[in-house]
Amino acid sequence: MNPIKETPRTAHVRPVSGRVTGAGGTAAAPATRTEAEPLPEDHTQAILQATKEVAALLKASGYPFALVGSVAVYAYGVPLRLQHDSDFCLRRKDAEGVVRALTQGGVEVVSPPEDWLMKARAGGEEIDLIFELAHRPVTKEMLDRAEILSVDSVHMPVLAPTDLMSSRLAALSEHHCDFGRLLPVARALRERVDWNALRREHTASPMPDAFLYLLERLDVISPRTGGPGGVP
């Protein structure tokens, strides 16, 4: 396996606008502060271009994979302004071959502290290569269920809607519970998701179960019937 390079994390230093006046009204040197550079308002096209580049290399490698995350939601027709990165899920056992294929294709791969993903960089954009979705391993069965969609004119496997929604529900917790961002995704995918399967899977988890109940109250999905999980 090609060595995975560690990249240092550096902060951007930007001068504060304007001049600082010292004692006696003399002009002092401009002050500086350390802060993260703001993201552009809309990074959609740059992220899509990086997604297509990496997907082409992954398809040529022969290893199974699927697009996931916000770009996958975008691929299903949900209008989003992409700002962060592109996510692909793959099996952990395929990591060595995937790294080799990407590095040979000119994509830089780095090793983050987390052990459930690798990070790559293509065309200046960040790419996450994920082995686990909400602490659950990516499996062959999950990848087999992926749908082939056109992503900005390039066809690639995209995680199935039920699996995509399940991974997002599983990520909800007391510390990460933004129903507002998840609601438009649920509305857009509601006809393509097996909601009863999600009820069975997440009925014991308070936050996902609360979100599913919210969808019922908003008439996004049909009310559950019968026993636990809405199974008649």
Side-chain angles (χ1 to χ4, degrees):
M1 176 176 178
N2 289 346
I4 299 177
K5 295 180 284 186
E6 296 281 355
T7 55
R9 298 189 177 190
T10 58
H12 298 282
V13 179
R14 292 173 32 178
V16 178
S17 59
R19 299 178 64 83
V20 179
T21 303
T26 58
T32 60
R33 66 169 179 257
T34 299
E35 62 179 26
E37 292 285 355
L39 289 167
E41 291 186 0
D42 189 350
H43 223 203
T44 300
Q45 197 54 50
I47 290 174
L48 289 176
Q49 188 62 36
T51 299
K52 293 189 293 183
E53 178 182 340
V54 172
L57 293 172
L58 290 174
K59 287 197 295 184
S61 76
Y63 292 102
F65 72 96
L67 185 66
V68 70
S70 58
V71 185
V73 173
Y74 178 93
Y76 278 112
V78 182
L80 295 177
R81 299 171 73 182
L82 304 176
Q83 290 182 307
H84 296 284
D85 54 20
S86 185
D87 304 315
F88 293 92
C89 60
L90 61 147
R91 299 177 300 181
R92 186 183 295 273
K93 71 177 186 177
D94 295 331
E96 181 175 350
V98 167
V99 169
R100 184 168 55 249
L102 293 182
T103 54
Q104 289 176 351
V107 175
E108 180 186 15
V109 182
V110 300
S111 178
E114 300 86 355
D115 64 356
W116 50 272
L117 84 166
M118 296 184 299
K119 287 187 173 290
R121 197 167 187 84
E125 300 300 322
E126 299 291 335
I127 306 291
D128 284 351
L129 305 167
I130 301 171
F131 310 133
E132 297 180 7
L133 294 173
H135 306 293
R136 296 178 298 177
V138 175
T139 63
K140 178 181 182 299
E141 291 74 20
M142 183 185 297
L143 298 178
D144 286 344
R145 290 193 293 268
E147 299 186 14
I148 304 299
L149 299 179
S150 176
V151 180
D152 198 33
S153 77
V154 172
H155 288 81
M156 64 186 74
V158 181
L159 202 67
T162 299
D163 290 321
L164 188 61
M165 183 59 63
S166 179
S167 69
R168 293 198 159 217
L169 288 176
L172 294 174
S173 69
E174 293 182 15
H175 305 290
H176 178 75
C177 191
D178 189 348
F179 286 1
R181 294 184 64 183
L182 192 53
L183 183 57
V185 178
R187 288 186 186 277
L189 298 181
R190 60 184 173 183
E191 301 297 334
R192 309 182 69 169
V193 171
D194 185 342
W195 295 105
N196 277 337
L198 295 186
R199 285 169 174 145
R200 291 191 296 268
E201 183 178 0
H202 298 285
T203 187
S205 302
M207 297 303 172
D209 193 53
F211 181 73
L212 292 171
Y213 178 66
L214 175 65
L215 294 182
E216 295 174 12
R217 292 297 307 271
L218 294 174
D219 293 325
V220 175
I221 62 176
S222 301
R224 67 191 75 193
T225 58
V231 181

